[in-house]
């Protein structure tokens, strides 16, 4: 986990091809006789009774196995909560959505080893870059409040997030369009509901006397 109080200046470069474009380094059988017919009827009746009973037995077993599997999964997985907060960076035109959060994830993150008050959160984010700039949108720009500090991504939690079946949100190149994924954030002091923020730092345009001011927007993560 990283706690950042001073955010580095991010640089922009201007494209020579398009005057208004800039590169932002931010970021599924028939029977013959009656006896033969009677034997066939008896045989078919027995098969029908077996075939009718077998699916019921099989369905019961499958339901029991599914219940056991679901119980085991619930014991070892986090709890998803919906967020659904969307905001637009007026300077860059980026549209950022905090889709959901998976709370109380099992973790081997080093800070969690002896801390009963902490929590590993997987923050699901979606970004649709604006057309004005290039560069990247960084996973380090997403924060959760941690007892008064702002904590961003837990850099060593990528493997356990992916092992749990989630797509890791790495740096999102703007020129590749829309990106969706999960940012792992460990907080050492959790709470029922959590405060979060997306912060795109101030940027300086390379070769020009121009700065793009910082953009900040906040959101709430509900209790699980």
């Amino acid at each position: 986990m990283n706690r950042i109080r001073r955010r580095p200046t991010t640089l922009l470069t201007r494209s020579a091809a398009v005057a208004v474009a800039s590169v932002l380094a931010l970021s599924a059988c028939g029977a013959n006789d009656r006896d033969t017919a009677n034997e066939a009827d008896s045989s078919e009746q027995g098969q029908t009774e077996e075939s009718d009973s077998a699916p019921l037995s099989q369905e019961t077993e499958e339901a029991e196995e599914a219940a056991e599997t679901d119980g085991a999964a619930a014991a070892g997985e986090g709890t998803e909560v919906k967020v659904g907060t969307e905001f637009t960076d007026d300077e860059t035109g980026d549209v950022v959505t905090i889709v959901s959060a998976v709370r109380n994830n099992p973790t081997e993150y080093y800070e969690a080893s002896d801390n009963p008050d902490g929590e590993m959160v997987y923050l699901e984010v979606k970004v649709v870059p604006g057309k004005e700039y290039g560069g990247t949108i960084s996973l380090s720009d997403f924060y959760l409040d941690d007892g008064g500090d702002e904590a961003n991504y837990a850099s060593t939690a990528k493997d356990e997030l992916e092992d749990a079946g989630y797509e890791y949100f790495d740096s999102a190149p703007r020129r590749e369009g829309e990106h969706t994924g999960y940012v792992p954030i460990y907080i050492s002091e959790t709470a029922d509901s959590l405060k979060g923020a997306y912060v795109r730092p101030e940027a300086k345009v390379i070769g020009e006397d121009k700065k793009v001011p910082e953009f900040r927007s906040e959101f709430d993560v509900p209790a699980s």
Side-chain angles (χ1 to χ4, degrees):
M1 175 178 60
N2 301 318
R3 292 184 175 84
I4 300 178
R5 294 185 178 276
R6 296 182 180 177
R7 299 185 179 88
T9 299
T10 309
L11 302 180
L12 295 132
T13 55
R14 179 167 294 279
S15 170
V18 183
V20 296
S22 299
V23 177
L24 177 60
L26 295 177
S27 59
C29 58
N32 293 327
D33 55 55
R34 182 173 297 176
D35 292 338
T36 303
N38 290 337
E39 290 176 2
D41 290 341
S42 299
S43 175
E44 290 175 0
Q45 183 177 2
Q47 291 176 358
T48 301
E49 290 174 353
E50 290 178 2
S51 62
D52 287 343
S53 61
L56 292 175
S57 176
Q58 183 177 359
E59 288 174 3
T60 301
E61 292 177 358
E62 290 175 350
E64 291 174 351
E65 291 176 357
E68 292 174 357
T69 301
D70 290 344
E77 296 180 355
T79 303
E80 182 179 13
V81 295
K82 297 298 182 182
V83 180
T85 301
E86 178 184 292
F87 35 82
T88 301
D89 185 335
D90 293 334
E91 296 291 338
T92 65
D94 302 331
V95 179
V96 180
T97 304
I98 310 301
V99 181
S100 68
V102 185
R103 301 197 55 178
N104 301 304
N105 293 283
T107 182
E108 296 182 1
Y109 190 60
Y110 74 97
E111 288 192 23
S113 60
D114 58 353
N115 180 24
D117 300 323
E119 180 184 353
M120 177 62 77
V121 181
Y122 297 161
L123 199 64
E124 184 184 11
V125 303
K126 172 185 174 182
V127 296
V128 180
K131 298 180 180 180
E132 185 79 11
Y133 296 100
T136 61
I137 297 172
S138 175
L139 80 170
S140 64
D141 295 341
F142 297 91
Y143 298 84
L144 290 177
D145 179 75
D146 187 6
D149 289 330
E150 287 190 321
N152 63 358
Y153 75 109
S155 58
T156 61
K158 177 180 179 180
D159 289 345
E160 65 183 31
L161 181 149
E162 293 179 331
D163 289 344
Y166 299 102
E167 182 178 355
Y168 187 72
F169 183 92
D170 210 335
S171 295
R174 292 166 178 270
R175 290 177 177 173
E176 293 181 9
E178 177 182 316
H179 286 74
T180 302
Y182 291 80
V183 179
I185 302 177
Y186 182 78
I187 51 176
S188 56
E189 296 182 32
T190 190
D192 289 340
S193 60
L194 305 173
K195 296 290 186 182
Y198 168 74
V199 184
R200 193 261 306 143
E202 180 184 81
K204 184 180 184 300
V205 179
I206 294 177
E208 296 184 19
D209 186 18
K210 177 183 177 181
K211 290 184 178 180
V212 178
E214 176 185 278
F215 172 79
R216 178 185 180 96
S217 189
E218 300 180 348
F219 56 88
D220 293 315
V221 176
S224 57

